[in-house]
Amino acid sequence: MSAADPKTAALIVAAGRGQRFTGSLPKQYADLAGRPVLRHSLETFAYHPRVQDLRVVIHPDDLPLYRAASKGLEVGKHVAGGDSRQDSVRRGLESLAEDAPDLILIHDAARPLLAPEVIDNVLDALEIHSGAIPALPVVDTLKRGHDGLITDTAARQDLWRAQTPQGFHVTDILRAHAAARTSGEALTDDAAVAEAAGLGVALVPGNRENIKVTTQEDLETAELWLAGRAADRETRVGQGFDVHRFGPGSAVILCGVKIPHSAGLKGHSDADVALHAITDALLGGLGAGDIGSHFPPSDPRWRNADSTIFLRHAVELVQRSGGQIRHVDLTLICEGPKIGAHRDAMRARLGELLGLPQTRVSVKATTTERLGFTGRGEGIAAQAIATLSLPRADA
Ligand code: MG
């Protein structure tokens, strides 16, 4: 995240008690392809590089179910829901106020098949509008009926089916929810709360698969779509390697973290050998050249450049190709500095840059037993492996 990027939080509303769902568990915890319904959208947000904070509103009775569904993911603290959906969202928003995000994405836990592109569509629209929601145009003719007989045909032009996540500038939607609470009006989605407050809310493309699971039949449909999605994807592994030579200095930068040392690293950029190796691993997985072809060392723009720029570019390329980074494993090879004390900070920074929970970021270090150039303390080498999930090239 550069200074100019807005800080974005996602709020997943999972406190509801579905009336039309007949399963033994609340629908947001029902099994969908081996994992709870809620888990699917939790992961989509947790792995999205433009979302920094993730919070879930739950029903207090569901705490054990929620703990199991969110295990291993980096999710901020959960919030207890209120009597209505609107009340739950307001509580969630108020709990986020202390972290002061700029933008908020409010999502229904019962929509497990949210695609990362839909999040991007909403966030892009928020650069211009107060609010934005994904929606699909109504294509069926709409009938009004009474006692099984048609009374009227409704005009379908200009009608849209609203989905989530619904995105807003935080200060605007907080104010709108406070106003709706005062008026006591019951509104069925957050866009309606925003509309009632006079905010401009844009319609952006939703996705056919982004259905709201309401019945057991919806769950079966979602399962079929998920199976189709998995068949259209492939796992790819990319590797990267880089070396930088020591020179005069008192610190090195590894994984974007400054580490005091008896020397610095020489290079055209900030010489962050770790980020260079990871950038090349991502580019390798995409088959998209190497760091030098994207950022030629001959270009004066990259002199002393912050290497997070290179990594962000590679992360964006993965995103644009419809891919997800699933795991990154880094090995630093040097006699010094000692990495152990800085490992957690490095993993945290990498997690931030890659949009990954720390359980999917590995930082290891080794020496070469005083053999070779790393053994003589002439420089640092780094190796990285990145695992990517990508749309199948031949699909
Ligand atoms: Mg390099």
Side-chain angles (χ1 to χ4, degrees):
M1 193 174 64
S2 68
D5 288 332
K7 187 175 168 196
T8 302
L11 183 68
I12 302 186
V13 190
R17 283 284 170 269
Q19 302 302 319
R20 284 165 284 184
F21 194 75
T22 54
S24 54
L25 294 172
K27 64 183 176 182
Q28 58 273 39
Y29 299 104
D31 181 275
L32 170 58
R35 294 177 302 160
V37 165
L38 170 63
R39 175 83 187 190
H40 294 266
S41 55
L42 271 180
E43 286 194 3
T44 306
F45 284 109
Y47 296 142
H48 199 289
R50 291 168 76 180
V51 177
Q52 288 85 38
D53 197 0
L54 178 52
R55 201 160 286 202
V56 186
V57 188
I58 66 167
H59 192 288
D61 293 350
D62 297 342
L63 190 54
L65 290 170
Y66 170 68
R67 289 233 164 93
S70 59
K71 198 166 175 233
L73 285 176
E74 258 153 52
V75 182
K77 62 181 183 204
H78 57 272
V79 186
D83 291 337
S84 65
R85 184 188 181 283
Q86 202 172 319
D87 207 26
S88 292
V89 171
R90 188 180 46 74
R91 287 178 184 221
L93 287 172
E94 285 168 0
S95 85
L96 274 163
E98 69 212 51
D99 299 326
D102 303 301
L103 304 177
I104 182 83
L105 296 164
I106 305 169
H107 184 66
D108 284 333
R111 293 187 191 270
L113 300 193
L114 169 65
E117 307 86 90
V118 174
I119 296 175
D120 286 311
N121 294 345
V122 172
L123 290 177
D124 289 347
L126 290 180
E127 288 171 18
I128 304 164
H129 301 279
S130 269
I133 72 163
L136 294 178
V138 170
V139 291
D140 297 320
T141 299
L142 293 177
K143 302 291 186 190
R144 214 181 309 274
H146 186 72
D147 285 341
L149 285 175
I150 293 171
T151 57
D152 189 15
T153 297
R156 72 174 174 215
Q157 73 264 28
D158 301 337
L159 286 183
W160 295 79
R161 291 157 52 203
Q163 300 186 337
T164 71
Q166 303 193 340
F168 305 94
H169 291 257
V170 169
T171 45
D172 291 346
I173 195 69
L174 255 174
R175 212 178 316 120
H177 266 279
R181 189 189 193 190
T182 312
S183 77
E185 204 179 341
L187 301 163
T188 54
D189 72 352
D190 300 289
V193 172
E195 293 155 40
L199 298 175
V201 183
L203 293 161
V204 302
N207 182 315
R208 183 182 69 116
E209 295 181 359
N210 189 16
I211 56 166
K212 186 168 186 174
V213 172
T214 309
T215 62
Q216 288 287 346
E217 195 188 358
D218 295 335
L219 210 49
E220 284 156 30
T221 305
E223 192 125 352
L224 283 174
W225 272 336
L226 266 180
R229 221 188 245 186
D232 286 343
R233 295 185 78 80
E234 64 184 20
T235 298
R236 292 223 217 144
V237 173
Q239 71 112 23
F241 176 75
D242 195 30
V243 170
H244 279 264
R245 176 192 292 275
F246 282 124
S250 57
V252 297
I253 295 173
L254 295 173
C255 300
V257 176
K258 194 169 178 183
I259 297 170
H261 190 53
S262 53
L265 284 174
K266 282 166 67 171
H268 187 66
S269 64
D270 65 5
D272 191 330
V273 63
L275 292 192
H276 296 180
I278 296 171
T279 301
D280 259 356
L282 296 178
L283 294 174
L286 289 172
D290 58 28
I291 193 169
S293 57
H294 290 265
F295 301 96
S298 55
D299 188 331
R301 271 186 300 168
W302 314 124
R303 181 167 303 145
N304 300 323
D306 177 347
S307 294
T308 60
I309 296 169
F310 310 149
L311 185 63
R312 278 178 211 286
H313 175 72
V315 170
E316 204 181 305
L317 290 181
V318 174
Q319 279 261 298
R320 270 198 251 145
S321 66
Q324 281 184 321
I325 304 166
R326 307 300 299 181
H327 181 251
V328 164
D329 183 18
L330 171 78
T331 304
L332 289 161
I333 307 162
C334 56
E335 296 294 328
K338 291 279 171 252
I339 302 301
H342 307 283
R343 187 196 313 265
D344 288 347
M346 290 161 88
R347 285 178 79 200
R349 184 73 180 123
L350 283 178
E352 232 172 78
L353 290 166
L354 296 163
L356 285 180
Q358 277 182 52
T359 47
R360 290 179 182 260
V361 179
S362 154
V363 174
K364 315 199 297 299
T366 187
T367 70
T368 48
E369 296 287 337
R370 303 200 172 275
L371 295 169
F373 70 88
T374 53
R376 291 188 297 272
E378 292 167 7
I380 301 182
Q383 291 180 337
I385 301 243
T387 307
L388 309 179
S389 164
L390 293 169
R392 256 176 52 181
D394 53 358

